[in-house]
Amino acid sequence: MSQITLPWIEKSPETLSGYRRKAILLLFVLAVGHLGIALVSLFAFKPGQLADWKIPFVLALVLGASLAGMAFTAGAFGVVFYRIIGKFLRWSYVAFALFLGGVVGACLIVWLHAEIFTFIKGLSAAEGEHRVWLLAVPYDHTVRNIYAGLEAIGVEVPVLAYALWPLQFEFIRDLVALGGIIGFISIIPAFGIWWERKVSARIQSRMGPMRVGGWHGWLQSPADGLKLIFKEDIIPPEGDPLLFRLAVYITFVPPICAFLALPFAAAWVFRDLDVALIFILAMLGIEVVGVILAGWASNNKWAVYGSMREACQMVSYEIPMGMSLLIPIMMAGSLKLTDIAGAQAGGFWNWFVFANPWCFIAFFTYYCAALASCKRAPFDLPESESELVAGFLTEYSGFRWSLFFFGEYAAMFIVAGLAVILFLGGWSSPIPEAWINSFLTAVGASPDGFFGTLARGLLAGGPIIFVLKATFLFYVQLWVRWTLPRVRIDQVLYACVQVMLPLVMVLLLANTLWILGTDHLQWGWLNVIDGILHWILVGIGVIVALAILCIALYGFKNNKRLVGQLAVVDQLPGS
Amino acid sequence: MILAVGLNHYLVLSALIFSLGVLCMATKRNAIGILIGVELVLNAANINLVAFSKYNAGVGDGHIFAVFVILLAAAEAALAIAIFMNFYNTLRTIDVDRGDELRG
Amino acid sequence: MDDLAFYIFAAVSLLSAIGIVASSNIVRSAVCLLGTLGGVACLYFVLDANLLAVIQLIVYAGGTLVLMVFGIMLTSKSPWVGFRATRGQVAGAVLVAILMAVGISTLVLTAEWSQSANAPLKTSPSVAEVGEMLLTDYLVPFEVASVLLLVVMIGAAYLARTEK
Amino acid sequence: MNHMYENLLALGVLIPLISFAILAFWGAKIGKPKSSYIACAAIGLSCIMATYVLIGWSGLDADQKADLTFAAANNQFHWADFGKIPLTVGVKLDSLTVIMFFMVTFIAFWIHFFSVGYMEGHSDEVDGQCKYHRFFAYLSLFCFSMLGLVISSSLLFMFIFWELVGLCSYLLIGFYFDKKFASDASMKAFITNRVGDFGFIVGLALVALYLGTFDLEQAAATFSQQFSASAAAGFDPAHSVGIFKGWNLYEMFGWGTETDPMMLSGLGVATLMGIGLFCGAMGKSAQFPLHVWLPDAMAGPTPVSALIHAATMVAAGVYLVARVFRLLTPEAQFFVAVIGCITLTITALIAIVQNDIKKVLAYSTLSQLGYMIFGMGVGAWVAALFHLMTHAFFKAMLFLGSGQVIEGCHHEQNIMKMGGLRKKMPFTCWTFFIGVLAIAGFGIPFAHIGLGGYFSKDEILVVAYERAYNHSHGESSAKHAGENLEKKDAESHVRLASMTDASLSQFSILNSTLAASGGDGSHAHGTPEKEKIGATLPHLPKWMFWLPIVIAYVTPFYMMRCWWLTFMGKPRDEHVYEHAHENWKMFVPLVVLAAGTFWCSFSLFRPMIAEAGGVAADAPAVVAIDGVAEELKDLPKNKLDPTMLMVTHGEGLTNFNNPHIALGWIVGFAWIIGMGFAWLIYRNGVAVARQIKQVFPLNHLHRWLEQKLYFDHIYDNMLVMGSRVVGTVCYTFDKWIVDGLVNLTGILTRFLGNFTGRQLDMPVKKNDFGLVDAIANGLAALFHDFFGSIIRRPQSGRIRSYVILTAGTAAVVLLLVLF
């Protein structure tokens, strides 16, 4: 027994408490120690002693230590108060709360990030020429300089100046942003997989996961994730082990990079690229390389079939997808996502999906093409389990396998988000802000007061509305998957090349001419027709939305009737 | 200061990538490897174009040229792959050294 | 910071390019090509050619590379079948490449460029400007390119068709 | 709403395109009857728009129309630049456009309607593909192209649509592509058109080069300015501008000497441009010598013949000439007239002996097109376009009638096998007869009652008469007008104007001529420059007046022959006769078009075209504008009445100075004589004709005409065989002379080599003394073993070796250059 023994594996539950005590002690010591360093560091650096040469040490020691300390503290709390937290977690609807909290947290990361960067941008440059030691990279802001800026806004924490210093480089800023994104998208699959299982269960009139974590098994995904992490790492020896490992990252990283350019709201974006839209498309396009490599490196017949299907499908569907996206681009006259979303503000009738019939159709063609390029059902040919075992995922297991899912769910969220930004008004609320303001004034609340700000933040557009919209489209993807049968591969390609491509081309041409007639040549009669069609489409949209709402309400009201008694929870072991 | 990046850095980088592309073309016996070498060479040329556009010419001509080069490279790759398919169908191999009917 | 970015991405591109040459496995070469393409795209970002960078990613990495890997899959019998050049050939090729690199580098380093080579211009053409140039000054090449793509499409389909 | 009319027209053009797109992509799914409804609906919608525009337009006064024209000209979409030449897309909005648009949509709609019935039995499947929807898709595409051609304000876009209608024509002629003759005919049509279009391109290039614009209006204005400026300089190359600088052929080709270069005068270049543009019209309107494709084009379905090869597309040539009229120099115009005259003569003669009902109509179409082109050539701008309109209606009707007959008679086209069909198909019979009357020029002279063909042909001939006799040329000045005044012929209703002033509008013509008739002799065309230009006008030879007159007698003859043999007399083939029937879907259009034939003869078309004539008024060439129209202009539009045409006539039926009166006597009764003659010969079937055919001079003439004057043979023998002969000659030269020389050298060398080689070089036989061989072998061994294997190695056929070599060489050269 010379192996490392983990206490909670080796011993039986009876003796768990002893090990837990040791663990608690260890963690507590670590946590307190690091917290101590962190606390000391807050005050150990006097404002007068700030110097640039200290930066690496401070960053390495103090920040690293405090971050680690926080993590350990959280872990220790988790272990110590397991039972209390466990009770707490059983509380109904905590899943949604957690999800929303995660979303809000992610949004906050984006926002904080943008704020910090604006703050650094706003600082006046330090005098003299400064270069990074050894690398000779010039920079504008010294630590003193930043601290002066912090003092000006009343934050007199010297170590913060050290922490903020690296953020003046866009490069590092993006790295930090990537960290934030990984945090966000690790929520998406965790929630999404659980949700998908619940949705599928509801569609098939069964329960879905019910046990782990209490309320409706909401902790199922993290539990599965844990399991996957500890699973054996199997690499097929006859394949190409290097590529087998690399493929995972080529699939996983691009969707994360795509988040760099995806705005959550007007200022809530990591990088407001002027070519944001194509950038995201490019990132989604690179993803396919990883999938193909995964299939190839597995050296498995089914995997290679799956990856070849993927290659065909992705390369074909990118074209109708991109061409559908050209239509809102034309309407807005920009490739910048913030511009495009900004052009649709002021009420849901301004959304591009209702702008004219071509846009209306383009929304659906885009959505179909996006489904196909995310290899979601009914286009999930590359991993169709009834034909190809699991397609390119056949040889994957454990953590690598879960990373593929991270990538896929991230991509799903991105295409949903793109649809929202390009067609459904982005983060703007369906109700114009002026209406909200006047409503607030009418009920006597000041728009700038606490409730006014809260109401405006929630209703008048912002990241939350964006995430809600995107989540809805994400939900539609699940819905489609569990209600439509899978199509054959030749049907997939036929649908792309012979149906979607001509249709989209016609749409593009028609929209071009339409814009030419309405906006540029100002044909009166065409504008009249445009107006009429616009309001008809708005009417259709309202009717569809109301219908979905009514059906959902009906289902919610009668959910017991649909699936029988949900009270089996109480009879499960461990309850 | 040599570390401060200027036009020459890009040009030298481009020269290196170009040479590596030539090397790739010269050493790969797989036809697709040669195609990869060609792509490297084209990329090297593109770096030049864009760098000149940034440092010297100023207007977007370099960008436009590079766009066209990328376009032509894509077209060339499509055709080349099609030709390789025929090559493979004829000789049952993708080794270009086997396609030496024209030797002196 | 642009300088640092340049060094990083140049290193990525160069190392990947070396990887392409050094790897005897063609699929690994293709993966390294992805590295080079990505690195060059990032260099375009550094050079303020955002549109070009994205086009590079979408056309090269998303299209051409997939096509190549697809071609490899159709023409290889196993991941491990590779063809190696003889040592003499490799030595000759390396010699030529070194000569070439030295020659071109010397050429560009000794050349006298018309304007200051170390002061990048502040204004780079925006996406809209590039697009406008494509549709005005370069309209004819643009249209010719579209015709060329059509020709290539038909030609490739014709060449790759199955014989009946 | 300032742009409403042009927008409506533009929309009317696009609707058929939408229909085409639908039918092209989903036609097969839409299925047999429904796809035709889409095409009909599309063109019907266009027709409604056209009608609305026509009615609205005819209610405007001249100022409003000019305003709208101006507004449309300024509402052009700047698309791109060809170098410095702007490329604009716009709608040319004037009376001519409105009328042509209406005419095309109206006829096209009824022909679509007809096709629904006609194509039911004519659209077999080929290779399992139904062709029914394809036919209507092509028709829609054609409508789009033709309408686009009509409204284009730019020559370049005219050319684009011009090619598109050519394409549609090709597709539709070859609609039965499974039949050899149809596909041959389509290719013939296409290739013949290419010849004409080549000229068009040359003309376009000259326009772009010298006038610097493709816009019709600007091109004409520039041309006019250049003309007047150069005319002021007496066309001296040194002082002329633009196109009138002429070409120095010494610089271009080295012709002549440097001091005395051969020159092509400015007028010559301008004429070349005009003829080039006209060449396009020659191809499309099938004018001599490119007329050979149109009869063969009858291989297409009959509605196509009616729409494309009778009413609209072939008339596009005339429309083009009308549009570029202001770019034609007098010489170019004369060329146009000659071509038209030749065409109308020979094709009418050929029509006499044709037995295929569609061929007869095709040749009569050619002849009538010849009349139009001839009218353009002599300057009867208004009359030629009026003839175009009337001809479109009755010729479409005639073709549809023939389609009805062919369909009814079970695909029988030979009129020799028909006869007596009037009992089986009365509607077709009598509508056809109306068409025959119209084309024959039915009318009562001096009373001015008649069908369309009567008025329009009469006016063309009147202008020709004036050109040939009264106002021959050169002195078409105030002096002449004064003489006329003295002869109390002041109401001479053809005004010849040779004008250079670009600003001269229709109204100034009216004013100047009124002034002239008022006796102010020096007002109208008094300046010496203009007199000089007037003097450059070519004389119209007398035969160019008399040939059309003769043909005016021939036309009723062959039309009557065709009608009589088809519908009257006794049935000559029982099988055909029994099968004959009518179909309501097909005779409704016939009746409508017959009504249209009446209507267009008397309606507002005539004055509206005359109004449009104003746009042609500043041409440097001869323009004839009928006085009738100008005087009608002052009347309220709703009072327009055909009897008004009588207004300007001089007193006395024997006043031969009045061309109308003179022509009334010369040709006014041609229809009676021609038709009567035909009735005499064919009243009892074909027996009499057979006998006449045997008479001595006529039998040879008949043979010649039956062989279509051997044009196809000539083309086959001259062009096709010619190319073959050239090829054979080249081949022979190459094979015997070049190869012979080479072989001779070889033989000689071998002989020499045999001698020297064996002795000096290489031993072959036992006693041969091979000196060099020994050395060479030694060296060769050295080279082979040492250098050869090194040099051979790179030539491995392996691409990589070549890469290394090329790159290595480049690198070495680079290094050598550097260091």
Side-chain angles (χ1 to χ4, degrees), chain D residues 565 572 681-682 684-693:
Chain D
L565 285 178
R572 281 184 292 280
I681 293 177
Y682 293 101
N684 288 326
V686 290
V688 181
R690 288 221 175 97
Q691 285 169 2
I692 292 176
K693 206 161 74 178

Side-chain angles (χ1 to χ4, degrees), chain A residues 106 245 271 415 435 476 492 538:
Chain A
R245 291 190 184 97
R271 281 213 125 170
V415 294
W435 292 15
V476 174
V492 170
V538 169

Side-chain angles (χ1 to χ4, degrees), chain B residues 59-73:
Chain B
V59 279
D61 300 277
H63 293 202
I64 303 252
F65 262 87
V67 168
F68 282 122
V69 171
I70 290 177
L71 184 150
L72 288 176

Side-chain angles (χ1 to χ4, degrees), chain D residues 698-714:
Chain D
L698 294 181
N699 55 359
H700 291 290
L701 183 63
H702 184 269
R703 201 185 68 238
W704 271 68
L705 292 177
E706 203 161 35
Q707 296 299 329
K708 303 160 192 168
L709 295 177
Y710 291 97
F711 268 108
D712 283 344
H713 297 259
I714 292 169

Side-chain angles (χ1 to χ4, degrees), chain B residues 22 25-26 28-29 97 103-104, chain D residues 795-798 800 804 807:
Chain B
V22 171
M25 278 194 275
K28 295 283 176 202
R29 279 171 62 190
D97 283 6
R103 68 172 165 268
Chain D
Q795 288 296 332
S796 59
R798 291 175 190 162
R800 294 184 304 114
I804 295 178

Side-chain angles (χ1 to χ4, degrees), chain A residues 135 137 169 171 238-240 242-243 246 274-275 278-279 282-283 288-289 292-293 296 299 307-308 311 315 335, chain C residues 1 4 8-9 25 27-28 31 34 45 50-51 54 57-58 61-62 65-66 69-70 73-74 76 79-80 127:
Chain A
L135 288 176
V137 176
F169 304 112
F171 187 63
E238 295 298 317
D240 188 333
L242 179 70
L243 293 184
L246 197 61
D274 52 356
V275 287
I278 325 180
F279 178 78
M283 286 302 145
V288 66
V289 179
I292 297 175
L293 287 178
W296 173 256
N299 198 12
S307 53
M308 281 172 101
V315 173
L335 285 172
Chain C
M1 204 62 204
L4 183 62
I8 291 172
F9 296 130
N25 183 334
V27 184
R28 289 191 183 180
V31 176
L34 179 65
F45 272 122
N50 286 0
L51 181 67
V54 178
L57 286 176
I58 209 165
L65 192 71
V66 172
V69 179
F70 201 75
M73 284 185 180
L74 288 175
S76 292
W80 298 113
V127 183

